[in-house]
Amino acid sequence: MSDALANAVCERCQARFDPAERIVNSNGELYHESCFVCAQCFRQFPEGLFYEFEGRKYCEHDFQMLFAPCCGECGEFITGRVIKAMNNNWHPECFRCELCDVTLADLGFVKNAGRHLCRPCHNREKAKGLGKYICQKCHLIIDEQPLMFRNDSYHPDHFNCTHCGKELTAEARELKGELYCLPCHDKMGIPICGACRRPIEGRVVNALGKQWHVEHFVCAKCEKPFLGHRHYEKKGLAYCETHYNQLFGDVCYNCSHVIEGDVVSALNKAWCVNCFSCSTCNVKLTLKNKFVEFDMKPVCKKCYEKFPLELKKRLKKLSELASKKIHPKALDLNSA
């Protein structure tokens, strides 16, 4: 033992060291090997690792139990950098946005309905509650009409026209991945869809005095695209055949169905071709056949001739009284 250590004493027990004794030197402080122990459990430090707090040394376990906070996410002790937020402690890597999972330790956070969120997520949640859009460039709420670009919303003034450089408005148009102001876009001769007001770069449907994307030219009633099938126009709107007939077509007096073909107009009523028949024998009639109205329905000449004489006289009298109103093709009762 050197002369310098001959008079040294142990920091813990204040006793001198034996010449052959092993001495522990911790940052200039000398200890008997048996004295260099945890201040809490009095056990030697595993692999010499210890934590010092307020002049006392602790093993890792006791230091964590006594002084280290627990992470609010993983529940483990925090021995390094501690994030204090939301009335809790967190490992930096455990403190994350509750919506997008981005780490917040160096970004900062916003308290939103009891949740810790990054600012973009907070703005999206706020905009959702207000029924507004969030700009995908600055992540702030868009108070005016948004500019929609590749299905995302932006402040219009975050873009300029690719052709003239003018600051864009919500009327901007996209073409082949670039944005143009409305005048520059129109000069390029690109048709605009009458439904979505976006450029049509593929097949164009010309109808109702406008141009349409194929998938946007739809029936005004069922909203199914025509996809090349026939459409019917009424008051500036287009309808498929089924709904056009339902809304505007003739209804057969006999079967009460919409007539989807030729219409027989007789006795001031509309009939399907197959439904216009003698109400007595069911033989099919056309407007070329002679018939008489009986009980608001047509009766062929043969069946009429079988009617009782008194009935025919009564019908003849009614016919004479309303002769001017009988359909031109109805049976002439005098000739019957």
Side-chain angles (χ1 to χ4, degrees):
M1 181 182 295
S2 67
D3 293 339
L5 295 177
N7 297 321
V9 296
C10 174
E11 283 290 333
R12 185 166 182 271
C13 69
Q14 296 299 308
R16 293 180 182 276
F17 300 98
D18 292 333
E21 183 179 6
R22 183 179 179 184
I23 301 174
V24 177
N25 187 335
S26 175
N27 295 325
E29 297 178 347
L30 304 179
Y31 295 85
H32 292 107
E33 189 172 16
S34 59
C35 289
F36 191 58
V37 294
C38 173
Q40 179 68 18
C41 67
F42 305 110
R43 296 176 181 175
Q44 290 185 336
F45 301 112
E47 300 179 358
L49 177 64
F50 66 90
Y51 294 84
E52 190 167 354
F53 184 70
E54 294 182 348
R56 306 182 73 186
K57 295 176 175 61
Y58 299 89
C59 65
E60 183 176 15
H61 176 268
D62 287 329
F63 177 79
Q64 291 176 346
M65 293 296 294
L66 292 171
F67 308 111
C70 289
C71 177
E73 175 64 23
C74 68
E76 298 292 331
F77 290 110
I78 307 172
T79 57
R81 181 185 176 192
V82 180
I83 303 297
K84 293 183 177 292
M86 305 292 288
N87 298 318
N88 216 330
N89 300 292
W90 316 80
H91 288 108
E93 64 273 14
C94 289
F95 189 54
R96 296 173 174 270
C97 174
E98 294 188 44
L99 292 183
C100 71
D101 206 39
V102 66
T103 54
L104 301 173
D106 299 315
L107 293 178
F109 73 99
V110 180
K111 187 176 181 180
N112 181 299
R115 302 171 297 178
H116 42 277
L117 307 180
C118 64
R119 189 162 297 279
C121 285
H122 166 72
N123 288 336
R124 277 193 289 272
E125 290 294 288
K126 184 178 178 181
K128 188 187 300 182
L130 297 173
K132 294 186 177 182
Y133 292 91
I134 282 291
C135 177
Q136 297 302 307
K137 195 166 187 179
C138 69
H139 304 295
L140 297 178
I141 294 175
I142 305 173
D143 290 318
E144 66 269 34
Q145 183 69 24
L147 168 62
M148 302 307 295
F149 180 46
R150 297 178 181 175
N151 296 322
D152 288 324
S153 54
Y154 295 89
H155 284 106
D157 57 7
H158 284 164
F159 292 93
N160 296 87
C161 175
T162 302
H163 184 260
C164 70
K166 181 181 178 182
E167 186 177 285
L168 295 178
T169 69
E171 296 295 319
R173 296 285 183 263
E174 179 186 356
L175 179 62
K176 297 180 180 180
E178 301 290 347
L179 287 173
Y180 298 86
C181 66
L182 195 57
C184 288
H185 184 274
D186 289 346
K187 290 177 182 177
M188 301 171 76
I190 305 298
I192 298 298
C193 177
C196 69
R197 304 303 303 161
R198 307 303 297 173
I200 306 173
E201 298 184 29
R203 182 182 170 192
V204 180
V205 176
N206 293 284
L208 304 176
K210 298 179 181 179
Q211 295 174 305
W212 315 78
H213 286 110
V214 174
E215 64 275 15
H216 290 167
F217 185 53
V218 300
C219 171
K221 179 66 176 177
C222 65
E223 297 185 348
K224 291 183 179 179
F226 295 107
L227 300 178
H229 295 290
R230 183 179 178 184
H231 71 276
Y232 299 81
E233 299 181 10
K234 185 78 171 182
K235 295 182 179 179
L237 298 175
Y239 298 88
C240 62
E241 184 174 3
T242 298
H243 289 106
Y244 180 84
N245 288 331
Q246 286 181 0
L247 295 170
F248 311 110
D250 293 309
V251 177
C252 177
Y253 176 77
N254 182 60
C255 68
S256 299
H257 291 160
V258 174
I259 304 173
E260 297 187 2
D262 293 334
V263 179
V264 177
S265 297
L267 307 178
N268 294 320
K269 300 175 185 67
W271 313 72
C272 296
V273 172
N274 292 332
C275 288
F276 188 60
S277 59
C278 174
S279 60
T280 302
C281 68
N282 289 326
V283 68
K284 293 292 185 293
L285 297 174
T286 68
L287 295 180
K288 295 180 179 180
N289 300 121
K290 290 186 177 182
F291 59 88
V292 65
E293 181 178 1
F294 177 66
D295 193 22
M296 302 177 68
K297 296 178 182 178
V299 175
C300 67
K301 181 178 179 180
K302 289 184 178 180
C303 289
Y304 172 77
E305 290 174 346
K306 297 177 183 179
F307 282 0
L309 182 60
E310 289 300 319
L311 177 58
K312 288 196 287 185
K313 287 181 179 180
R314 188 162 61 249
L315 291 175
K316 181 179 180 180
K317 186 175 182 179
L318 291 173
S319 177
E320 290 174 348
L321 292 175
S323 58
K324 294 183 180 180
K325 296 182 180 180
I326 292 180
H327 193 281
K329 293 292 183 179
L331 178 65
D332 181 356
L333 295 179
N334 291 321
S335 63

